[in-house]
Amino acid sequence: MRVLVTGGAGFIGSHVADQLLAEGHEVRILDNLHPAAHAGPPEFLPPGAEWVEGDVRAAGDVDAALDGIDAVCHQAAMVGLGTDIGDIADYTSHNDLGTAVLLRRLGARRFGGRLVLASSMVVYGEGRYACADHGVVRPGPRRVSDLDAGAFEPPCPVCGLPLAPEAITEDAPVDPRNVYAATKLHQEHLAFAFSRETAIPVTALRYHNVYGPRMPRDTPYAGVASIFASALAGGRAPRVFEDGAQTRDFVHVRDVARVNVLALTADEAVPGAFNVCSGEPRTVGEMARALHASSPDGAPAPVVTGEYRLGDVRHVFASAERAREVLGFSAGEGFAEGMAEFARAPLRAAAG
């Protein structure tokens, strides 16, 4: 099978390309080497892949990359919370317009393969919560006055009592809480609308907090694991926001690559949305301490600052059941071992 990996020079896309090549598939990479993530072509580009430097928003670049392709793995996107609302047009352009151009060209070519889309757990907003008196509830955005006072846990929207976070499933209501989240949900909406009109199966993989080798260094367009690792590499203490007790699911990039390959190569297409996670929730503070524990002697310890970002949510971790039952995927990389490897792995430089 010949697979196009958009964003294939990036953190996750390059690992997907590696695993596809290892299984005997042909790979073509389309990437525009965005300066927020790349200082140039990375040295880890798999030598067996065909390389096309181009932009997924440019129809001509997409057409050239699609020639002879049997399946598409769409990883190209701007990621992370970014800097501020000034990034809104860039996120919309790269993520939503880029996906729309790709889908239009696939439709125009009467593409007959399958499409795997890199989505994200950010589409959920806050995770799943249960109130002792009112069952499963959906808390609204946290109030600035509460955050300023250090009250980080969202209360029950009915009675105001504390809530218990639970694993979220793919059928949960979506509620994006920042610009990046809104664009990822729109990518899903565009791709599933395209699928309904063309009968081309689309698998949306909702990545949870991905970490591992090849993450970019010193950029706001990255996940918290990269931000903490960048701080430690620069001799700075990781700054843990809120009280460090916010919960996430940290999943290794090799596991994420493997589930992409499963979705691309399954005997039958597996349409729909799937959580991609380890199934083992951890706190952000726990992750910072695990990175620090495997850093060189003398590295500064994490500092819990009490700061917050309005676009952040408190707890979101996932049920891994659907991916296990339908895709046959279970995460295989252990948290302690993965964090130890990540702490020693070099981070790639961005141009700016």
Side-chain angles (χ1 to χ4, degrees):
M1 182 169 65
R2 183 175 296 172
V3 182
L4 172 65
V5 182
T6 71
F11 168 46
I12 297 174
S14 65
H15 284 277
V16 174
D18 283 347
Q19 291 202 21
L20 284 167
L21 288 165
E23 294 195 11
H25 301 286
E26 297 179 54
V27 174
R28 180 178 296 150
I29 288 172
L30 174 67
D31 201 300
N32 72 344
L33 298 178
H34 194 288
H38 298 280
E43 70 282 356
F44 54 72
L45 275 177
E50 181 185 352
W51 163 246
V52 177
E53 185 170 353
D55 197 317
V56 75
R57 298 170 295 175
D61 292 349
V62 173
D63 272 335
L66 285 173
D67 279 343
I69 290 298
D70 303 307
V72 176
C73 188
H74 183 34
Q75 304 290 324
M78 282 186 68
V79 300
L81 279 182
T83 54
D84 54 35
I85 199 64
D87 288 326
I88 188 169
D90 293 328
Y91 274 100
T92 304
S93 175
H94 285 278
N95 298 359
D96 297 340
L97 177 61
T99 299
V101 171
L102 173 65
L103 296 174
R104 182 171 64 182
R105 299 320 304 158
L106 288 171
R109 300 171 72 92
R110 301 189 183 279
F111 178 71
R114 64 182 69 171
L115 171 65
V116 173
L117 170 69
S119 186
S120 172
M121 58 86 174
V122 295
V123 302
Y124 296 121
E126 283 288 354
R128 176 185 169 99
Y129 292 85
C131 172
D133 291 339
H134 298 101
V136 175
V137 294
R138 292 285 294 174
R142 295 179 292 172
R143 296 181 301 186
V144 171
S145 58
D146 289 339
L147 296 169
D148 285 340
F152 301 119
E153 296 290 343
C156 175
V158 181
C159 66
L161 290 176
L163 297 172
E166 299 180 347
I168 200 163
T169 55
E170 290 86 351
D171 58 357
V174 289
D175 185 17
R177 300 280 176 98
N178 55 58
V179 169
Y180 171 58
T183 63
K184 296 309 288 185
L185 181 57
H186 196 208
Q187 282 185 301
E188 283 196 17
H189 286 166
L190 292 171
F192 287 133
F194 168 80
S195 181
R196 285 191 292 273
E197 291 196 25
T198 63
I200 293 170
V202 172
T203 306
L205 300 176
R206 291 175 176 171
Y207 304 156
H208 285 250
N209 286 68
V210 188
Y211 73 96
R214 304 179 188 171
M215 292 191 90
R217 177 173 179 169
D218 294 325
T219 171
Y221 304 98
V224 65
S226 176
I227 292 170
F228 287 175
S230 295
L232 288 165
R236 306 183 304 275
R239 297 177 62 80
V240 181
F241 281 10
E242 302 187 16
D243 58 1
Q246 56 271 49
T247 315
R248 299 291 188 268
D249 186 304
F250 297 98
V251 58
H252 197 282
V253 67
R254 285 193 294 269
D255 283 325
V256 175
R258 183 162 54 85
V259 74
N260 274 274
V261 175
L262 286 171
L264 288 163
T265 61
D267 291 340
E268 300 291 336
V270 280
F274 296 84
N275 287 324
V276 176
C277 59
S278 72
E280 298 180 357
R282 308 276 180 169
T283 68
V284 172
E286 186 179 1
M287 186 271 289
R289 292 189 294 272
L291 277 178
H292 177 256
S294 294
S295 296
D297 291 342
V303 175
V304 177
T305 69
E307 298 170 274
Y308 63 85
R309 298 186 298 184
L310 282 177
D312 279 339
V313 296
R314 181 62 175 174
H315 302 294
V316 55
F317 55 93
S319 166
E321 196 62 32
R322 184 163 191 253
R324 181 164 47 246
E325 290 180 352
V326 179
L327 287 168
F329 168 75
S330 294
E333 303 280 347
F335 177 78
E337 297 82 3
M339 285 294 168
E341 176 201 24
F342 180 44
R344 297 188 295 267
L347 298 171
R348 76 173 189 269

